[in-house]
Each structure stands twice: as structure tokens, then as C-alpha cells.
Amino acid sequence: MPDDIENMNAALALARDGLGQVAPNPAVGCVVVRDGRIVGRGVTQKNGRPHAETVALADAGTDAARQSEVFVTLEPCAHHGKTRPCAGALIAAGVRRVVSALEDPDPRVAGQGHQMLRDAGIKVDIGIGAEAARAVNIGYFTRLAKGRPFVQLKLAVSADWKIAAEPGRRTAVTGTQAQWATHKLRAHADAILVGAGTWKADDPVLTCRGSGSEDRSPIRIVLDARAELPINCKLVQTAGDVPLWVVVGETAPAQNRRALKTRGIRILQSATKNGRFDLDDLFGLFGRDGLTRLLVEGGGQVAQSLIEAGLVDELNIRGKGGAGVRFSVAPGGIVRL
């Protein structure tokens, strides 16, 4: 058992490295063990293909994989998609045992991968590292269960719990350490969302910088009901380097939309109510687009709207010192993590 835990922890470390890179797929880690030694490692690759199991088997090689033990953070898939089922790849490789942290709730899998392995005479153990594996892929599970991404709201606050000196005015309330921590949060997200107040006041770029994750910047999403994002702002100027989505309302002028589209910006239209975005419609749209983890860096109005709508799953508060405090937000209340 101690060796099983150690091997699963190695697979979990690989899975975490895939966060923010593989949506709509889960970030899965896998290690192949032969004679007590890890001989192959794999993580789901960028954009979700190939899967971790096939990468790990290839890394191990045919001879080492035969009669090996495989540790994987989520049930091997059982359905044919762009690639053959991972359960089939493990069977073909001749492994003797598969240790899986969790069953995959995707209806196309949902225990069928484990059953395929058992039917082939492979020993299957489930549950080692389950809690940690669920935490890694909470975005994937949230999208399957609720049809929307896991939403993490990040707020930077001053010592007196203010997020700005006054509405619409750019205010630095955190230091370098907190900013670096923010870039790490961004690197694990599929997308970052800000409201109109933030892009008007701050002219942000919303990329990963200074944390060793410069090549992991997620999609930037801005709420802009009238498609008024200035062409000379930093978000538009960097749209060719990092994807930018602009969410507009039904009445956004056609010429404004065209001006943004010509610069490679994706325009999404969401329903509005009384001049404000219908958040259920908007976040359902994000879910259908495959987003699993959404980091919200908007101001007070966006934060309040999302919390009141029950759309915040985790609240991350950071102060000048850089240390973050995480809270789980659920119908039963807010609980410190």
C-alpha cells in the first residue's frame, strides 16, 4: 500500500501540471511501474490529446509495459473518439494491474473502462488518491454535473478590506508576491473573466508573467455588452498572441462587432436582462464551449453578481503580503479551505 500511494502521488503531480491546458478533457496523470520502479510517465497533452495512458505507455516502451502496473488519476476511457480507448491500449500493452483513483462520471465511460480491463483479466483497484484526484479535476466534474465551469473568484484586498480607492479608479492593493501568486492561478485556469469596469479602469493584459508560466496564459474573456472595447487597449493589441473572447449583448452595434472580429477576437453573444447579462445563459455558454476552470478577476460589481447568483465555487482572497486565503462557496455557506 505505501508504494501504491507513492506511485499515485507521482501520477497526481503529473495531472496538476496539465491544468489549464487540456479542456474540455480532464487533466490526467499516469505512471507505469515495473519491478517497483517507474518506467513510464504521461500526462494528457495540450488540447486533450493524446491521453495520459498512451503517453505513459509510449514512454515506458513495449517491453517494460508488459506485465507492469499502471497508476492513473482517472478511469481509462472506454469510448472511441479521436483516438482509440485508453482501456484498449492498456489491454493491448499487456499490463497486469491498473490502479485508478476515480471512476469517470462521463456517461461514455462511467465504469465501462474498468470493466473492459477486468474482462481482459487485468486486476483493477479503485480509490487510492481519490480525494486529491477529485480536487485536481473539480472543473471537469463541475462541467459534467452543472453544465458550466468551476468558478474561482479572486479578489485582491487592502488591509481594511477594500478592493479599490473608489469605483472605476485603478488601485494597487497588493505587492509583488501576490501578483506572482495571481499568475500561478491564471496558469491553471482555462480562461480569465473580467467585467467592463476592470478593463475600463485598468487596461489589463491578463497574461501569465514572471512565474515561469509565461507560455500558459489562458483565454481572456471580457464582458462588453456594447462591444466598446477600444482597439488600442492592451487586450486587443495582444489578441494575436493570446486568445481573446468578447461577450456582447443582443444590441451590440454591428460595426463594433466587426471592428473586433477583424483583429482576430472571438465574439460571443449572450442574453441580457434589464441591461445586464443573464448569468445562467452566459455560464452555460462557457460550459458548452468546453471551459472547465474559470478564474474571475472582475471588480466588486461582477463579484457581487456572481455570488448572489450562486455561481462562485471558490473564493480566493489575497492581500499585500501575497498569502492567499481560499474559501469554498456552496449553498450551505462559505467555508475556509
Side-chain angles (χ1 to χ4, degrees), residues 57-279:
L57 289 172
D59 186 47
T62 302
D63 291 340
R66 190 174 296 111
Q67 289 300 300
S68 66
E69 295 179 292
V70 173
F71 294 78
V72 62
T73 59
L74 189 66
E75 177 183 7
C77 63
H79 59 284
H80 286 271
K82 294 181 180 178
T83 59
R84 70 172 178 169
C86 291
L90 293 167
I91 293 168
V95 308
R96 68 177 181 84
R97 180 184 179 222
V98 172
V99 181
S100 176
L102 289 170
E103 182 177 294
D104 189 339
D106 186 329
R108 297 172 299 175
V109 187
Q112 297 176 69
H114 290 147
Q115 192 57 52
M116 281 180 63
L117 296 170
R118 291 191 181 101
D119 289 345
I122 296 171
K123 179 175 173 56
V124 176
D125 291 313
I126 306 168
I128 293 176
E131 184 176 350
R134 182 168 294 279
V136 169
N137 275 309
I138 189 63
Y140 172 72
F141 296 129
T142 299
R143 179 173 176 263
L144 284 176
K146 299 182 179 181
R148 64 164 175 83
F150 179 83
V151 178
Q152 184 180 48
L153 173 62
K154 191 274 295 182
L155 294 174
V157 299
S158 62
D160 58 353
W161 292 90
K162 298 292 193 301
I163 64 173
E166 60 186 51
R169 175 181 167 188
R170 183 173 185 176
T171 310
V173 296
T174 59
T176 302
Q177 285 181 302
Q179 291 166 9
W180 278 35
T182 293
H183 294 310
K184 290 182 179 180
L185 285 176
R186 291 176 178 176
H188 285 168
D190 299 332
I192 303 172
L193 173 73
V194 297
T198 296
W199 61 258
K200 288 177 180 177
D202 296 351
D203 189 20
V205 66
L206 301 178
T207 55
C208 297
R209 304 182 303 281
S211 60
S213 54
E214 290 80 1
D215 61 342
R216 298 175 66 100
S217 294
I219 297 164
R220 287 95 45 89
I221 305 175
V222 298
L223 303 181
D224 184 12
R226 297 282 297 168
E228 295 172 332
L229 195 64
I231 300 305
N232 62 350
C233 75
K234 292 175 184 175
L235 287 164
V236 174
Q237 293 299 309
T238 56
D241 303 317
V242 180
L244 176 63
W245 297 359
V246 173
V247 182
V248 304
E250 307 96 320
T251 61
Q255 65 270 26
N256 291 9
R257 300 185 192 214
R258 285 195 298 269
L260 295 174
K261 280 185 178 180
T262 58
R263 286 160 176 81
I265 297 167
R266 183 182 179 196
I267 304 296
L268 288 78
Q269 180 175 303
S270 180
T272 57
K273 289 181 179 178
N274 301 320
R276 297 186 176 223
F277 286 110
D278 180 332
L279 295 177

Side-chain angles (χ1 to χ4, degrees), residues 294-309:
L294 180 67
L295 176 63
V296 179
E297 294 193 25
Q301 184 173 321
V302 169
Q304 181 177 347
S305 297
L306 293 182
I307 290 174
E308 289 178 348

